Amino acid sequence: MTFESQGEDAHFFFDTIDQMDYYFVAGECLDELIKGFRHLTGRAQMLPKWAYGYIQSKEAYLSQQELVDTVAEYRRRNVPIDGIVQDWQSWEEGN
């Protein structure tokens, strides 16, 4: 692509396509740019509330009871925990 600007005129020349649609979003500040982008794309959905909290992840718990006890210990210490993940199945065999 080649861009050429002559005074008030601006031109784009494309090597591989004849035509392209594009949008220009202008604003005096970041909030105005985001407002313009949202106008084009729609408002982004918020994640569920629990996704903003702490998620404990550990390679493996030796038993269901160990996992339950871990959550209970977080609760006993008044440490918020919104999810707990046992991710041992994502590890390659032998690691």
Side-chain angles (χ1 to χ4, degrees), residues 47-59:
L47 293 172
K49 188 176 178 182
W50 67 264
Y52 292 101
Y54 178 67
I55 299 175
Q56 164 71 34
S57 180
K58 183 177 174 180
E59 179 186 357

Side-chain angles (χ1 to χ4, degrees), residues 37-88:
F37 186 76
R38 282 183 174 166
H39 177 74
L40 293 174
T41 62
R43 190 176 186 129
Q45 294 295 316
M46 295 295 290
L47 293 172
K49 188 176 178 182
W50 67 264
Y52 292 101
Y54 178 67
I55 299 175
Q56 164 71 34
S57 180
K58 183 177 174 180
E59 179 186 357
Y61 294 91
L62 299 177
S63 68
Q64 178 179 341
Q65 190 59 51
E66 182 185 7
L67 188 145
V68 169
D69 291 345
T70 299
V71 172
E73 183 62 20
Y74 275 94
R75 297 289 186 236
R76 186 187 72 72
R77 295 181 185 197
N78 293 319
V79 175
I81 183 168
D82 295 293
I84 192 160
V85 177
Q86 179 171 318
D87 63 3
W88 62 270

